[in-house]
Amino acid sequence: FTLFAYKSEDNFSFEPTAPYHYQNTLASFKFAHKFSEKMSSNLVLGTSSYKNDESEKDNMNPEDAFFLNSSLDYKLARLDFNWTPKENHNLDFGLNYVRYFIEPGNIEHIGTKSKIVDFSVDNEKAAEISAYISDDIAITPLLSVQTGL
């Protein structure tokens, strides 16, 4: 099996009155299994999260002061199989599932003088489910046929 993890974060500003912050977190787990010389599988589970926020807080323009944030989360599960019934015949098939959690954005006023109206875009969710099969047959060393769905 294989484990992978990654995290990054940064705070920066092009102007002192407008800081920006983001954060990434990724992780995955992969498990490979060999049933026999002709059959194997891979299971992959993964997650990813991205968040960011920015603000504007200028003492010269307090009516424009705001804080804005958004995020995206992604979850993955994939199961792949490979079967080689003959030396010249290879069959791949599997399932894939992805789930998205989206927070498009929220804006809030900063301070009592800000004229920014607090507003949130509705959160969204989405899912993808797929299956595939691919058949590759070598007819000669220079000619093969591949089909799939």
Side-chain angles (χ1 to χ4, degrees):
F1 72 93
T2 305
L3 288 173
F4 169 78
Y6 171 82
K7 182 170 176 72
S8 69
E9 186 170 3
D10 195 9
N11 291 296
F12 64 92
S13 180
F14 293 112
E15 297 180 25
T17 61
Y20 183 86
H21 169 258
Y22 76 88
Q23 177 181 344
N24 275 324
T25 306
L26 307 161
S28 69
F29 169 81
K30 180 178 179 180
F31 178 73
H33 181 71
K34 190 172 186 178
F35 296 98
S36 68
E37 288 299 317
K38 295 184 176 194
M39 181 81 164
S40 63
S41 69
N42 285 311
L43 171 67
V44 177
L45 304 173
T47 183
S48 172
S49 176
Y50 176 78
K51 299 177 185 332
N52 75 297
D53 58 73
E54 61 182 293
S55 61
E56 177 75 38
K57 191 174 178 183
D58 186 348
N59 291 334
M60 299 294 287
N61 298 309
E63 66 275 2
D64 295 332
F66 70 89
F67 175 79
L68 175 68
N69 68 333
S70 64
S71 68
L72 172 65
D73 291 319
Y74 170 98
K75 310 292 184 215
L76 164 77
R78 188 175 75 223
L79 182 58
D80 300 310
F81 292 93
N82 176 265
W83 179 44
T84 308
K86 295 181 182 179
E87 187 177 311
N88 67 335
H89 187 188
N90 189 49
L91 191 68
D92 292 316
F93 55 97
L95 302 167
N96 192 51
Y97 176 77
V98 180
R99 181 79 170 159
Y100 302 93
F101 302 92
I102 304 162
E103 186 180 305
N106 303 301
I107 189 166
E108 301 170 357
H109 70 282
I110 297 176
T112 57
K113 295 181 182 178
S114 178
K115 294 181 182 177
I116 299 296
V117 176
D118 293 359
F119 182 76
S120 293
V121 177
D122 291 340
N123 294 346
E124 298 181 23
K125 297 177 186 175
E128 296 177 17
I129 300 171
S130 60
Y132 74 93
I133 185 167
S134 174
D135 195 6
D136 189 359
I137 301 170
I139 298 169
T140 71
L142 297 175
L143 178 65
S144 67
V145 174
Q146 186 174 36
T147 61
L149 294 173

